[in-house]
Amino acid sequence: MAFDEGVRDRLQAACQESRLVFWEDEPGEFADSIGGLALDGVEVIIVRGNEFALKRRILRGGGDRVLVYRAGGAHASDFDYLLDVKLMARPFSCSLASSWAEECGLAPSAEATLSAHAAFFASGKRLQQFSSACHSSGWLSRSANREDIELGLLVVACGAKGTSKVDVTRDIARAVVRSFALDRDLETQIERYGLGEALWSSLRAVYDYSSDAPSFADFSTAVVLTCCSDLVGQEPTLGPEAAILLSSMSRDSTEASAFEALISRTEDVESLVRLEACDRETLVSNPYLHRVDRWILGGLVADVAAGMDRSGLGPTRVCGSGAILTYLAEKFGAFLPTAPAQRAECLSWLFWQMGSAPFLGGGFGHFYAYAPVKIEYAIDRYAMEVKRQLDVLDRRLAENE
């Protein structure tokens, strides 16, 4: 095989980095053309014949930089006289995987790992992203082992953004659950890249996930089942990280569609819930399953509509729509800010709505549509006040999301 400029430049750069470079060309692809290779300031030594004598020549060399080339690898039947030279030298390889390793700043020993995932590198964009991850990540160093390299490939495949190995594994798990929920093909891609075993190994380390037939569907169901284990009367199948994953998805507005789709696609978990066997506080503390929400709200609405909430330690009397909204917001810790300034503003608008909408809106509707006698003054008065209040509301909403 003839040398192109890319190979020549890589050889020149390798020799600039180290005085002694050893190129073990096991396939012998460049054996015919190596004799014509000329590098600036570098002596090219081709291994032929008496390797022991050649070894002495190399070790006795002066200050010149040396490239040692051997085609076909070491002789299996003989002692490798050049082994200590190889160990001293900077190794060089000319395979695609070696070029990927060099571009990503990884040691030549990473070549075998990268070669096993050649399908991943079919995209120049993925290679660029992986190279960027290698150069910016604290744990993907030049001496990274196979496990770390494969985790780095998963980072790119799953779009993970974390900085530590635990954080990127959390991002990967989230991508797995999101892909299952939204029926995307990430699982197929990961298998095509040869990263399936690495994926399940990383999830096992952080989430305690173990399965005879691991899959995106099985892992996602295990996450939901673990977070609802107190409702179904089973021991959690995953570690505490599962609760962090599902909780963060449920509170992230950008993940709303994925979270709803996940709960929908794991509806079998809902069928295992024993509502009657759970106390109200246990049900209220679990915000994930719609069946539980409907059951809680149904009972609560019935109680509050009757003017009495019996879900606590004792009955609580409450009436009036504004009072009911405030009571429920405080009971469930939602919709009502706790900071004094924000809380005051929220209550101000609630009381504004309670005081204006029923009286003015109801008055306008009555005199305009239902009064037996049309009273022009009453209609005009209420119409003007309703418009004014709606203008106040419109300007407020224009300034806030």
Side-chain angles (χ1 to χ4, degrees):
M1 182 182 295
F3 287 98
D4 60 27
E5 288 302 318
V7 175
R8 191 184 307 275
D9 290 345
R10 288 179 56 212
L11 278 168
Q12 186 73 62
C15 291
Q16 291 300 318
E17 292 177 6
S18 177
R19 191 193 73 81
L20 180 61
V21 176
F22 199 106
W23 182 3
E24 190 82 270
D25 182 14
E26 293 189 4
E29 294 177 333
F30 293 88
D32 295 335
S33 54
I34 187 68
L37 176 65
L39 300 174
D40 295 337
V42 178
E43 180 185 3
V44 179
I45 297 178
I46 303 172
V47 178
R48 295 191 182 100
N50 189 337
E51 293 188 355
F52 183 73
L54 188 62
K55 170 183 175 180
R56 295 181 62 190
R57 174 187 166 192
I58 295 170
L59 295 179
R60 286 181 176 180
D64 290 341
R65 297 181 182 277
V66 176
L67 168 64
V68 180
Y69 172 87
R70 180 165 65 180
H75 302 294
S77 58
D78 298 330
F79 181 79
D80 186 359
Y81 288 104
L82 297 180
L83 178 59
D84 51 349
V85 174
K86 285 180 64 176
L87 295 175
M88 291 169 53
R90 179 198 189 283
F92 180 83
S93 177
C94 202
S95 65
L96 274 175
S98 69
S99 67
W100 298 334
E102 187 167 347
E103 181 173 341
C104 297
L106 297 174
S109 57
E111 181 179 342
T113 300
L114 300 183
S115 181
H117 306 292
F120 176 91
F121 295 97
S123 163
K125 181 179 180 181
R126 284 195 296 271
L127 172 58
Q128 184 179 15
Q129 290 173 333
F130 180 63
S131 176
S132 177
C134 288
H135 289 100
S136 62
S137 171
W139 51 271
L140 253 180
S141 61
R142 178 175 175 80
S143 58
N145 58 25
R146 182 185 186 92
E147 178 183 298
D148 287 349
I149 292 172
E150 289 180 332
L151 183 60
L153 297 176
L154 285 169
V155 165
V156 175
C158 298
K161 304 296 183 184
T163 54
S164 69
K165 288 198 283 188
V166 171
D167 285 342
V168 298
T169 303
R170 288 170 176 162
D171 290 347
I172 289 168
R174 192 161 177 161
V176 166
V177 172
R178 187 191 306 113
S179 176
F180 165 72
L182 301 178
D183 199 21
R184 294 175 178 169
D185 63 348
L186 180 60
E187 186 168 14
T188 303
Q189 293 176 19
I190 287 177
E191 290 297 334
R192 187 167 67 249
Y193 302 153
L195 293 169
E197 184 177 340
L199 171 66
W200 305 126
S201 176
S202 65
L203 295 183
R204 186 182 310 115
V206 176
Y207 290 88
D208 298 330
Y209 174 66
S210 180
S211 172
D212 294 334
S215 67
F216 278 31
D218 184 68
F219 176 74
S220 301
T221 301
V223 169
V224 177
L225 188 58
T226 295
C227 294
C228 300
S229 58
D230 53 344
L231 301 182
V232 300
Q234 297 181 9
E235 289 296 319
T237 56
L238 302 181
E241 284 286 343
I244 297 174
L245 169 60
L246 197 60
S247 176
S248 64
M249 286 189 69
S250 69
R251 292 183 282 104
D252 188 344
S253 60
T254 63
E255 296 278 25
S257 59
F259 177 75
E260 291 299 324
L262 172 65
I263 299 304
S264 177
R265 295 201 68 185
T266 55
E267 58 185 6
D268 289 348
V269 175
E270 284 195 325
S271 66
L272 300 175
V273 176
R274 301 175 300 171
L275 293 173
E276 295 74 12
C278 300
D279 60 75
R280 182 71 66 91
E281 293 304 317
T282 300
L283 294 173
V284 169
S285 66
N286 191 297
Y288 304 122
L289 301 183
H290 298 323
R291 179 187 171 206
V292 175
D293 291 342
R294 290 192 295 269
W295 192 82
I296 293 173
L297 289 175
L300 191 58
V301 167
D303 286 346
V304 172
M308 192 72 70
D309 175 18
R310 295 182 173 83
S311 63
L313 297 177
T316 302
R317 188 179 303 280
V318 59
C319 62
S321 55
I324 291 173
L325 287 173
T326 304
Y327 172 75
L328 293 177
E330 291 178 336
K331 181 179 179 68
F332 292 101
F335 305 119
L336 186 59
T338 56
Q342 288 82 357
R343 180 183 176 88
E345 184 173 15
C346 179
L347 292 175
S348 295
W349 284 100
L350 173 63
F351 295 154
W352 171 84
Q353 189 264 332
M354 293 294 102
S356 61
F359 175 69
L360 296 176
F364 171 73
H366 171 76
F367 285 109
Y368 183 81
Y370 301 109
V373 177
K374 298 296 182 184
I375 305 175
E376 184 177 354
Y377 172 78
I379 294 174
D380 291 345
R381 170 65 177 173
Y382 279 101
M384 179 184 68
E385 283 301 312
V386 168
K387 289 179 181 179
R388 187 178 68 82
Q389 295 291 346
L390 290 177
D391 180 64
V392 171
L393 179 61
D394 185 61
R395 284 187 281 110
R396 173 62 181 174
L397 294 177
E399 298 170 357
N400 298 270
E401 294 184 0

